[in-house]
Amino acid sequence: MSTSRTITETTPAIGSIPITGGTNNQPPAPMHPVTPNASDEECELELEMECTRERMRRLKEKRKAKEEAKRKAEEAVRWAAEEEKQRQEAATQAASARRKEEEAAEKRRRIAVAAVTTGEDPDDGDDDDDGDDDDEDEDDPAPCKQCHTKKIPCLKHAGKRNTVI
């Protein structure tokens, strides 16, 4: 049988706290200062480039958003101006139509007043046959087919003329 020997080291203790004399458990300081290797520098540069790319992307997004907002604002202004222009044109057309109607009514009124004062039959512009001759200065109507082929004045309209053929 073999016997094993174990050596046990005992440290002096005061009470229950061990006293560790001047032994230092830290590793000795390196002789040369630690220089980062090339892969560490590349990683740092890549990280910086990534941050820069991210900042540029955010700036582009902000710029694009500002341009979009500006474009929409300009479009809204153009739309409002166009709508205002259409409103003004409609108002101008309505005013013109009102003015023409008022002028026509005034003309009819003056003709009626003049006819009443002179005792004549007013030319009221109506086409219906109400007994007045509204078409005095209108040319004679076209002759019927039979009179046209004979090249004579139409006998159907002879009663309406002052002279009979």
Side-chain angles (χ1 to χ4, degrees):
M1 286 207 188
S2 70
T3 54
S4 64
R5 288 181 159 197
T6 21
I7 299 175
T8 322
E9 230 180 87
T10 57
T11 56
I14 301 177
S16 63
I17 302 173
I19 300 176
T20 59
T23 62
N24 190 356
N25 292 339
Q26 295 179 355
M31 295 286 218
H32 302 287
V34 177
T35 58
N37 60 14
S39 64
D40 289 342
E41 287 180 13
E42 288 175 5
C43 288
E44 285 180 24
L45 285 175
E46 186 62 36
L47 183 62
E48 286 179 29
M49 291 297 290
E50 185 64 32
C51 290
T52 304
R53 283 188 212 112
E54 183 65 24
R55 269 187 280 144
M56 293 304 289
R57 185 187 59 77
R58 279 183 273 156
L59 286 174
K60 284 181 181 178
E61 286 177 359
K62 284 182 183 179
R63 189 179 308 129
K64 191 182 249 184
K66 283 182 183 179
E67 288 173 358
E68 182 69 18
K70 183 179 177 182
R71 186 187 60 76
K72 284 184 179 182
E74 288 173 353
E75 186 176 307
V77 168
R78 267 194 313 273
W79 182 77
E82 182 67 27
E83 194 170 281
E84 181 63 27
K85 183 180 177 183
Q86 288 176 352
R87 264 192 238 118
Q88 287 177 351
E89 287 176 1
T92 302
Q93 288 175 352
S96 177
R98 259 192 321 272
R99 189 171 42 255
K100 286 180 181 178
E101 181 63 31
E102 289 170 357
E103 289 173 358
E106 180 65 23
K107 183 178 178 182
R108 286 191 303 269
R109 186 189 62 78
R110 276 190 257 135
I111 291 172
V113 168
V116 169
T117 58
T118 60
E120 294 178 1
D121 183 24
D123 183 12
D124 57 1
D126 291 338
D127 289 336
D128 54 350
D129 191 17
D130 54 359
D132 60 350
D133 189 13
D134 294 336
D135 303 325
E136 289 177 3
D137 33 331
E138 188 177 288
D139 293 330
D140 290 334
C144 63
K145 273 185 163 181
Q146 186 179 8
C147 295
H148 182 67
T149 56
K150 295 179 183 179
K151 296 185 181 180
I152 60 172
C154 185
L155 299 176
K156 290 181 182 177
H157 304 293
K160 292 188 176 181
R161 294 190 196 153
N162 293 334
T163 60
V164 179
I165 303 175

PDB file of all heavy atoms in Angstrom, residues 11-26:
ATOM      1  N   THR A  11      -1.846  29.440   7.370  1.00  0.00           N
ATOM      2  CA  THR A  11      -1.574  30.872   7.425  1.00  0.00           C
ATOM      3  C   THR A  11      -1.964  31.355   8.788  1.00  0.00           C
ATOM      4  O   THR A  11      -2.925  30.885   9.380  1.00  0.00           O
ATOM      5  CB  THR A  11      -2.385  31.631   6.344  1.00  0.00           C
ATOM      6  OG1 THR A  11      -3.748  31.346   6.521  1.00  0.00           O
ATOM      7  CG2 THR A  11      -1.932  31.253   4.971  1.00  0.00           C
ATOM      8  N   PRO A  12      -1.182  32.232   9.290  1.00  0.00           N
ATOM      9  CA  PRO A  12      -1.529  32.730  10.615  1.00  0.00           C
ATOM     10  C   PRO A  12      -2.833  33.515  10.560  1.00  0.00           C
ATOM     11  O   PRO A  12      -3.136  34.163   9.566  1.00  0.00           O
ATOM     12  CB  PRO A  12      -0.363  33.617  10.988  1.00  0.00           C
ATOM     13  CG  PRO A  12       0.356  33.916   9.734  1.00  0.00           C
ATOM     14  CD  PRO A  12       0.004  32.852   8.768  1.00  0.00           C
ATOM     15  N   ALA A  13      -3.608  33.494  11.538  1.00  0.00           N
ATOM     16  CA  ALA A  13      -4.879  34.191  11.578  1.00  0.00           C
ATOM     17  C   ALA A  13      -5.064  34.847  12.917  1.00  0.00           C
ATOM     18  O   ALA A  13      -4.608  34.344  13.931  1.00  0.00           O
ATOM     19  CB  ALA A  13      -6.006  33.223  11.331  1.00  0.00           C
ATOM     20  N   ILE A  14      -5.705  35.969  12.819  1.00  0.00           N
ATOM     21  CA  ILE A  14      -6.068  36.657  14.042  1.00  0.00           C
ATOM     22  C   ILE A  14      -7.570  36.481  14.146  1.00  0.00           C
ATOM     23  O   ILE A  14      -8.317  36.970  13.311  1.00  0.00           O
ATOM     24  CB  ILE A  14      -5.694  38.129  14.007  1.00  0.00           C
ATOM     25  CG1 ILE A  14      -4.221  38.291  13.801  1.00  0.00           C
ATOM     26  CG2 ILE A  14      -6.170  38.821  15.253  1.00  0.00           C
ATOM     27  CD1 ILE A  14      -3.786  39.707  13.675  1.00  0.00           C
ATOM     28  N   GLY A  15      -7.968  35.820  15.071  1.00  0.00           N
ATOM     29  CA  GLY A  15      -9.381  35.515  15.192  1.00  0.00           C
ATOM     30  C   GLY A  15      -9.799  34.662  14.015  1.00  0.00           C
ATOM     31  O   GLY A  15      -9.195  33.651  13.706  1.00  0.00           O
ATOM     32  N   SER A  16     -10.791  35.078  13.340  1.00  0.00           N
ATOM     33  CA  SER A  16     -11.234  34.307  12.195  1.00  0.00           C
ATOM     34  C   SER A  16     -10.772  34.933  10.877  1.00  0.00           C
ATOM     35  O   SER A  16     -11.055  34.424   9.811  1.00  0.00           O
ATOM     36  CB  SER A  16     -12.765  34.183  12.195  1.00  0.00           C
ATOM     37  OG  SER A  16     -13.328  35.471  12.065  1.00  0.00           O
ATOM     38  N   ILE A  17     -10.018  36.050  10.891  1.00  0.00           N
ATOM     39  CA  ILE A  17      -9.545  36.734   9.698  1.00  0.00           C
ATOM     40  C   ILE A  17      -8.131  36.273   9.418  1.00  0.00           C
ATOM     41  O   ILE A  17      -7.243  36.413  10.248  1.00  0.00           O
ATOM     42  CB  ILE A  17      -9.550  38.250   9.904  1.00  0.00           C
ATOM     43  CG1 ILE A  17     -10.958  38.710  10.261  1.00  0.00           C
ATOM     44  CG2 ILE A  17      -9.035  38.968   8.673  1.00  0.00           C
ATOM     45  CD1 ILE A  17     -11.044  40.149  10.634  1.00  0.00           C
ATOM     46  N   PRO A  18      -7.893  35.725   8.232  1.00  0.00           N
ATOM     47  CA  PRO A  18      -6.539  35.284   7.919  1.00  0.00           C
ATOM     48  C   PRO A  18      -5.633  36.466   7.606  1.00  0.00           C
ATOM     49  O   PRO A  18      -6.066  37.474   7.073  1.00  0.00           O
ATOM     50  CB  PRO A  18      -6.723  34.398   6.693  1.00  0.00           C
ATOM     51  CG  PRO A  18      -7.993  34.829   6.074  1.00  0.00           C
ATOM     52  CD  PRO A  18      -8.830  35.385   7.185  1.00  0.00           C
ATOM     53  N   ILE A  19      -4.417  36.370   7.909  1.00  0.00           N
ATOM     54  CA  ILE A  19      -3.444  37.405   7.618  1.00  0.00           C
ATOM     55  C   ILE A  19      -2.619  36.914   6.460  1.00  0.00           C
ATOM     56  O   ILE A  19      -2.048  35.843   6.489  1.00  0.00           O
ATOM     57  CB  ILE A  19      -2.525  37.666   8.831  1.00  0.00           C
ATOM     58  CG1 ILE A  19      -3.358  38.108  10.000  1.00  0.00           C
ATOM     59  CG2 ILE A  19      -1.494  38.706   8.478  1.00  0.00           C
ATOM     60  CD1 ILE A  19      -2.554  38.284  11.264  1.00  0.00           C
ATOM     61  N   THR A  20      -2.568  37.702   5.449  1.00  0.00           N
ATOM     62  CA  THR A  20      -1.818  37.315   4.269  1.00  0.00           C
ATOM     63  C   THR A  20      -0.608  38.198   4.223  1.00  0.00           C
ATOM     64  O   THR A  20      -0.627  39.261   3.654  1.00  0.00           O
ATOM     65  CB  THR A  20      -2.655  37.499   2.998  1.00  0.00           C
ATOM     66  OG1 THR A  20      -3.045  38.848   2.906  1.00  0.00           O
ATOM     67  CG2 THR A  20      -3.855  36.603   2.997  1.00  0.00           C
ATOM     68  N   GLY A  21       0.350  37.963   4.633  1.00  0.00           N
ATOM     69  CA  GLY A  21       1.575  38.754   4.654  1.00  0.00           C
ATOM     70  C   GLY A  21       1.804  39.524   3.369  1.00  0.00           C
ATOM     71  O   GLY A  21       0.918  39.912   2.676  1.00  0.00           O
ATOM     72  N   GLY A  22       2.810  39.792   2.840  1.00  0.00           N
ATOM     73  CA  GLY A  22       3.117  40.626   1.691  1.00  0.00           C
ATOM     74  C   GLY A  22       2.979  39.909   0.380  1.00  0.00           C
ATOM     75  O   GLY A  22       3.620  40.277  -0.588  1.00  0.00           O
ATOM     76  N   THR A  23       2.201  38.879   0.297  1.00  0.00           N
ATOM     77  CA  THR A  23       2.034  38.187  -0.979  1.00  0.00           C
ATOM     78  C   THR A  23       1.058  38.947  -1.861  1.00  0.00           C
ATOM     79  O   THR A  23       0.047  39.456  -1.408  1.00  0.00           O
ATOM     80  CB  THR A  23       1.527  36.756  -0.769  1.00  0.00           C
ATOM     81  OG1 THR A  23       0.262  36.817  -0.159  1.00  0.00           O
ATOM     82  CG2 THR A  23       2.492  35.933  -0.002  1.00  0.00           C
ATOM     83  N   ASN A  24       1.377  39.062  -3.140  1.00  0.00           N
ATOM     84  CA  ASN A  24       0.555  39.776  -4.103  1.00  0.00           C
ATOM     85  C   ASN A  24      -0.019  38.750  -5.077  1.00  0.00           C
ATOM     86  O   ASN A  24       0.711  38.044  -5.733  1.00  0.00           O
ATOM     87  CB  ASN A  24       1.412  40.808  -4.851  1.00  0.00           C
ATOM     88  CG  ASN A  24       0.574  41.740  -5.679  1.00  0.00           C
ATOM     89  OD1 ASN A  24      -0.624  41.586  -5.772  1.00  0.00           O
ATOM     90  ND2 ASN A  24       1.221  42.708  -6.288  1.00  0.00           N
ATOM     91  N   ASN A  25      -1.333  38.696  -5.177  1.00  0.00           N
ATOM     92  CA  ASN A  25      -1.979  37.723  -6.051  1.00  0.00           C
ATOM     93  C   ASN A  25      -2.154  38.250  -7.480  1.00  0.00           C
ATOM     94  O   ASN A  25      -2.583  37.528  -8.354  1.00  0.00           O
ATOM     95  CB  ASN A  25      -3.344  37.323  -5.495  1.00  0.00           C
ATOM     96  CG  ASN A  25      -3.211  36.528  -4.211  1.00  0.00           C
ATOM     97  OD1 ASN A  25      -2.149  35.968  -3.953  1.00  0.00           O
ATOM     98  ND2 ASN A  25      -4.256  36.484  -3.426  1.00  0.00           N
ATOM     99  N   GLN A  26      -1.859  39.518  -7.741  1.00  0.00           N
ATOM    100  CA  GLN A  26      -2.027  40.089  -9.072  1.00  0.00           C
ATOM    101  C   GLN A  26      -0.861  39.714  -9.949  1.00  0.00           C
ATOM    102  O   GLN A  26       0.267  39.597  -9.483  1.00  0.00           O
ATOM    103  CB  GLN A  26      -2.122  41.607  -8.970  1.00  0.00           C
ATOM    104  CG  GLN A  26      -3.362  42.062  -8.220  1.00  0.00           C
ATOM    105  CD  GLN A  26      -3.393  43.585  -8.129  1.00  0.00           C
ATOM    106  OE1 GLN A  26      -2.451  44.240  -8.554  1.00  0.00           O
ATOM    107  NE2 GLN A  26      -4.458  44.107  -7.554  1.00  0.00           N
TER     108      GLN A  26
END
